[in-house]
């Protein structure tokens, strides 16, 4: 090597005597740049074994002489290499004469390397009295190998990142240790007050080491706990109380009392603060919003702005408890309600479709589709009549919604008004007539429904084509079936007689009408009518 000379095997034997036999040897040495290179390249001389034996005869107290197992000559030789380098790295004045200290303070690049040489610490030179490994950011557990240098008087491991337990029992052989510094580490807390060994050192040896309980910090923690914990409990109780009263949707499902009960704060959050962008409908005293609740589902919120008495709010809540139990494919699902002094609301599923009135006016659907809507409404009426006869409903075309797959949904209800079956059947008759004619009785006729019914009677059955929606295709079958529908609607809407058809009769008539419509729309039926009657004549000729 151009800048340094590699140490010869014979030179290390001399060093070995210096460090382990305390025999004065010369001359001074020039060490190689890398301890790792010397460990890889140098080998023990041929007389190394006899040299060790002679040393043990002359000085039996040498550390390697006290091993009961056979000596590992390679390890001992390597330890002399490390000792030579470490003595010079520690800036000892005369490494040939003596090796009094290991000083790797603020040497983070080489300190971990020398700690890793377990064989060196195993045969630690007896001349070493001081070890300083401070300020090296050494990580991991306590470096127990350094405790094999049992003759040391000073040990400094401060300002590192050491953690875990300190091997207190391992300090017992260090009877000469008078200076110890473990400060500024992260050791686990130990009961050092119970150890006679640690009583020899003052508290400055363990500042911020984690070993000694921080009484000042502990006092602060106690004070914080005594005052902070009650405050925390109060805040938590207050927060839970606020959620229970204003935002129960934030609570877990098991803690939520009434899952169908909405609060004004919940509705405000669902509609973006009752934003105009979410306002989809408005009438006298009623605002209709589209909203999104906590589970991300879309809902329709009808808000009633009128003020009612406490008794009225109680009746409203009782009605809503019934509505949330309704379950039918042609009845809009009621999700919940809100009853408050300032605000009442009913929350239903969001259908995403338009109402029947707008659908008929815009789309001019054929008779088959109109009949399908009427059948769906009638099935919902039968369900309510059988399961919930106390529930009334609104059958105006503007109140019947359409789902995305064109299923009719009854959306507005009344409970407790004792609506008779006659009145319910009358409403269905009016719905049939409105669907066939595409007229709005309350807006287009002076006396409303009465004039509307009278106008239809004037043209039924002879001039029925004048009342059928002019945009609807009027094939022969369509006119016949629409005429039957109008006749049934007039029968249901006739309140002058003491008799009215039953739900079962109306259902049978509508089912028969629907079946005939399906037959008329079938391909076979169309072919039989499209051949000009030739098929019938062929059958007769046979």
């Amino acid at each position: 090597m151009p800048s340094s000379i590699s140490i010869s095997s014979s030179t290390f034997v001399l060093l070995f005597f210096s460090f382990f036999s305390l025999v004065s040897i010369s001359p001074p040495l020039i060490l190689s740049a890398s301890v790792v290179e010397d460990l890889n390249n140098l080998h023990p001389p041929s007389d190394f074994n006899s040299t060790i034996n002679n040393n043990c005869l002359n000085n039996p107290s040498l550390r390697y002489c006290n091993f009961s197992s056979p000596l590992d000559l390679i390890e001992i030789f390597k330890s002399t290499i490390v000792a030579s380098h470490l003595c010079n790295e520690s800036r000892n004045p005369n490494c040939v004469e003596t090796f009094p200290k290991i000083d790797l303070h603020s040497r983070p690049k080489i300190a971990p390397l020398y700690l890793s040489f377990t064989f060196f610490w195993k045969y630690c030179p007896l001349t070493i009295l001081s070890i300083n490994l401070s300020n090296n950011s050494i990580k991991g557990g306590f470096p127990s190998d350094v405790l094999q240098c049992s003759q040391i008087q000073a040990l400094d491991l401060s300002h590192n990142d050491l953690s875990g337990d300190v091997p207190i029992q391992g300090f017992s052989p260090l009877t000469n240790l008078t200076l110890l510094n473990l400060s500024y580490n992260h050791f686990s807390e130990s009961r050092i007050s119970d150890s006679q060994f640690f009583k020899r050192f003052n508290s400055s040896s363990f500042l911020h080491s984690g070993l000694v309980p921080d009484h000042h910090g502990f006092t602060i923690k106690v004070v914080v706990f005594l005052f902070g914990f009650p405050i925390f409990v109060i805040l938590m109780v207050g927060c839970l109380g606020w959620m229970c009263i204003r935002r129960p949707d934030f609570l877990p499902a098991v803690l939520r009392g009434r899952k169908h009960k909405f609060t004004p704060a919940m509705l405000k959050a669902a509609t973006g603060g009752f934003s105009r962008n979410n306002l989809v409908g408005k009438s006298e005293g009623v605002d209709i919003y589209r909203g999104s609740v906590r589970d991300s589902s879309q809902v329709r919120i009808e808000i009633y702005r009128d003020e009612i008495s406490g008794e009225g709010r109680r009746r409203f809540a009782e009605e809503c408890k019934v509505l949330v139990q309704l379950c039918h494919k042609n009845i809009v699902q009621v999700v919940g309600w809100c009853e408050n002094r300032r605000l009442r609301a009913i929350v239903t599923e969001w259908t995403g479709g338009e109402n029947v009135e707008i659908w008929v006016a815009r789309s001019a659907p054929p008779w088959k589709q109109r009949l399908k809507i009427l059948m769906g409404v009638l099935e919902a009426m039968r369900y309510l009549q059988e399961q919930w006869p106390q529930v009334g409903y609104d059958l105006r075309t503007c109140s019947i919604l359409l789902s995305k797959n064109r299923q009719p949904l009854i959306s507005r209800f009344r409970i407790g008004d004792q609506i008779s079956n006659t009145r319910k059947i009358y409403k269905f008759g009016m719905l049939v007539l409105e669907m066939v004619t595409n007229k709005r009785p309350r807006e287009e006729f002076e006396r409303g429904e009465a004039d509307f019914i009278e106008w239809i009677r004037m043209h039924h059955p002879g001039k029925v084509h004048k009342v059928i929606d002019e945009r609807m295709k009027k094939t022969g079958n369509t006119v016949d079936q629409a005429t039957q529908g109008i006749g049934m609607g007039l029968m249901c809407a006739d309140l002058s007689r003491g008799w009215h058809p039953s739900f079962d009769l109306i259902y049978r008539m509508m089912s028969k009408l629907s079946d005939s419509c399906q037959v008329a729309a079938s391909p076979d039926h169309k072919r039989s009518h499209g051949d000009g009657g030739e098929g019938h004549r062929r059958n007769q000729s046979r």
Side-chain angles (χ1 to χ4, degrees):
M1 299 174 64
S3 59
S4 61
I5 301 173
S6 179
I7 304 173
S8 68
S9 297
S10 59
T11 301
F12 268 113
V13 175
L14 296 177
L15 287 173
F16 181 81
F17 279 108
S18 174
F19 296 144
F20 293 85
S21 302
L22 306 181
V23 177
S24 178
I25 302 294
S26 62
L29 301 173
I30 301 176
L31 295 177
S32 66
S34 171
V35 64
V36 176
E37 290 178 0
D38 283 343
L39 287 173
N40 292 331
N41 298 329
L42 296 179
H43 304 282
S46 58
D47 59 345
F48 191 69
N49 187 21
S50 60
T51 302
I52 290 179
N53 291 329
N54 291 332
N55 286 339
C56 289
L57 291 174
N58 295 328
N59 187 1
S61 64
L62 292 176
R63 196 178 302 278
Y64 59 80
C65 296
N66 297 317
F67 280 88
S68 58
S69 58
L71 294 178
D72 189 332
L73 298 180
I74 300 298
E75 274 195 353
I76 296 174
F77 182 75
K78 286 183 176 181
S79 70
T80 63
I81 298 175
V82 174
S84 300
H85 282 273
L86 185 54
C87 182
N88 284 275
E89 293 286 2
S90 300
R91 299 180 181 88
N92 287 289
N94 187 358
C95 287
V96 176
E97 295 290 342
T98 185
F99 185 179
K101 66 177 181 179
I102 295 175
D103 186 1
L104 296 180
H105 170 74
S106 299
R107 307 286 297 279
K109 291 186 177 180
I110 64 171
L113 175 64
Y114 281 101
L115 276 175
S116 68
F117 296 139
T118 306
F119 53 84
F120 166 75
W121 301 102
K122 181 179 179 181
Y123 304 111
C124 177
L126 294 174
T127 58
I128 297 175
L129 301 177
S130 172
I131 299 176
N132 186 353
L133 299 173
S134 62
N135 198 34
N136 284 305
S137 300
I138 301 172
K139 300 181 183 297
F142 187 94
S144 301
D145 285 341
V146 301
L147 300 182
Q148 297 187 71
C149 299
S150 56
Q151 76 284 352
I152 60 174
Q153 299 173 0
L155 175 62
D156 190 348
L157 296 174
S158 62
H159 294 277
N160 284 297
D161 289 326
L162 299 173
S163 59
D165 295 327
V166 173
I168 296 176
Q169 296 300 323
F171 279 87
S172 299
L174 279 64
T175 56
N176 297 323
L177 188 64
T178 57
L179 177 62
L180 176 65
N181 193 353
L182 302 179
S183 301
Y184 297 97
N185 281 288
H186 310 290
F187 295 117
S188 302
E189 186 175 309
S190 301
R191 297 180 59 185
I192 61 172
S193 59
D194 296 338
S195 172
Q196 293 297 323
F197 172 76
F198 281 102
K199 287 183 179 180
R200 292 158 39 188
F201 308 100
N202 57 39
S203 59
S204 61
S205 298
F206 314 108
L207 293 174
H208 301 286
S209 65
L211 285 165
V212 183
D214 186 352
H215 295 290
H216 178 69
F218 180 75
T219 302
I220 294 176
K221 291 179 182 178
V222 170
V223 172
V224 170
F225 178 80
L226 291 177
F227 287 93
F229 183 72
I231 294 174
F232 172 76
V233 172
I234 292 172
L235 290 176
M236 286 299 296
V237 171
C239 183
L240 286 173
W242 178 85
M243 286 194 292
C244 289
I245 296 173
R246 294 180 59 83
R247 294 300 304 272
D249 52 326
F250 280 116
L251 295 172
V254 294
L255 298 179
R256 206 175 303 157
R258 293 171 289 182
K259 65 177 182 178
H260 298 295
K261 185 72 178 293
F262 285 77
T263 65
M266 292 170 63
L267 298 183
K268 185 176 180 180
T271 58
F274 301 113
S275 169
R276 287 185 175 273
N277 296 331
N278 292 320
L279 184 64
V280 297
K282 190 177 182 68
S283 61
E284 185 177 355
V286 181
D287 294 340
I288 301 175
Y289 287 89
R290 178 177 182 172
S292 178
V293 293
R294 283 277 296 172
D295 62 359
S296 300
S297 59
Q298 299 294 307
V299 293
R300 181 176 184 268
I301 304 173
E302 286 191 16
I303 297 178
Y304 308 96
R305 300 289 184 181
D306 57 326
E307 294 187 5
I308 60 175
S309 63
E311 179 62 23
R313 290 200 308 273
R314 188 192 65 77
R315 288 199 303 270
F316 174 76
E318 292 300 320
E319 292 176 4
C320 291
K321 290 178 183 178
V322 173
L323 297 181
V324 296
Q325 300 180 64
L326 303 181
C327 184
H328 191 274
K329 67 175 183 176
N330 297 117
I331 295 177
V332 71
Q333 181 64 51
V334 180
V335 179
W337 73 92
C338 172
E339 41 97 9
N340 187 271
R341 292 181 181 178
R342 296 176 290 105
L343 183 146
R344 289 184 303 124
I346 292 181
V347 183
T348 63
E349 63 177 333
W350 179 260
T351 61
E354 54 198 354
N355 61 40
V356 170
E357 182 181 79
I358 296 175
W359 174 66
V360 172
R362 288 181 180 176
S363 305
W367 167 247
K368 178 182 178 182
Q369 292 184 14
R370 302 186 197 209
L371 186 58
K372 178 184 175 183
I373 297 299
L374 291 171
M375 283 299 299
V377 172
L378 188 58
E379 288 179 5
M381 292 175 65
R382 289 188 71 196
Y383 163 77
L384 292 172
Q385 181 64 23
E386 294 173 1
Q387 303 291 330
W388 305 94
Q390 74 274 32
V391 177
Y393 36 83
D394 187 350
L395 291 185
R396 290 177 298 173
T397 53
C398 63
S399 298
I400 298 175
L401 305 178
L402 293 177
S403 65
K404 292 181 179 179
N405 59 352
R406 293 288 185 222
Q407 283 288 339
L409 298 169
I410 298 177
S411 66
R412 308 197 72 176
F413 307 92
R414 296 287 295 177
I415 298 177
D417 286 348
Q418 301 299 322
I419 299 176
S420 65
N421 288 345
T422 300
R423 189 64 184 172
K424 293 176 181 177
I425 292 172
Y426 168 81
K427 287 183 177 182
F428 180 72
M430 290 299 301
L431 174 65
V432 174
L433 298 177
E434 289 182 40
M435 291 280 289
V436 175
T437 62
N438 188 31
K439 295 293 184 181
R440 300 178 182 180
R442 300 159 196 83
E443 299 176 10
E444 300 182 31
F445 295 88
E446 183 178 354
R447 292 191 303 129
E449 293 177 352
D451 280 355
F452 174 60
I453 294 173
E454 186 61 31
W455 173 70
I456 294 176
R457 281 182 178 152
M458 288 172 55
H459 298 89
H460 181 270
K463 301 177 180 179
V464 74
H465 61 278
K466 291 186 177 182
V467 300
I468 296 176
D469 186 356
E470 60 185 11
R471 302 168 306 157
M472 189 167 61
K473 293 181 180 180
K474 300 180 180 66
T475 64
N477 289 326
T478 298
V479 174
D480 291 344
Q481 291 173 9
T483 301
Q484 295 179 49
I486 291 173
M488 189 186 65
L490 289 174
M491 180 177 64
C492 294
D494 188 0
L495 298 177
S496 61
R497 299 179 300 172
W499 173 87
H500 65 272
S502 65
F503 280 103
D504 290 338
L505 176 60
I506 296 172
Y507 186 78
R508 288 197 299 270
M509 293 174 65
M510 286 295 294
S511 298
K512 184 177 180 181
L513 195 57
S514 177
D515 291 342
S516 64
C517 182
Q518 295 292 337
V519 171
S522 65
D524 292 341
H525 183 79
K526 289 180 180 179
R527 284 197 299 270
S528 66
H529 284 270
D531 62 8
E534 292 295 327
H536 179 66
R537 284 193 293 271
R538 283 195 298 269
N539 289 336
Q540 284 183 328
S541 65
R542 291 179 183 179

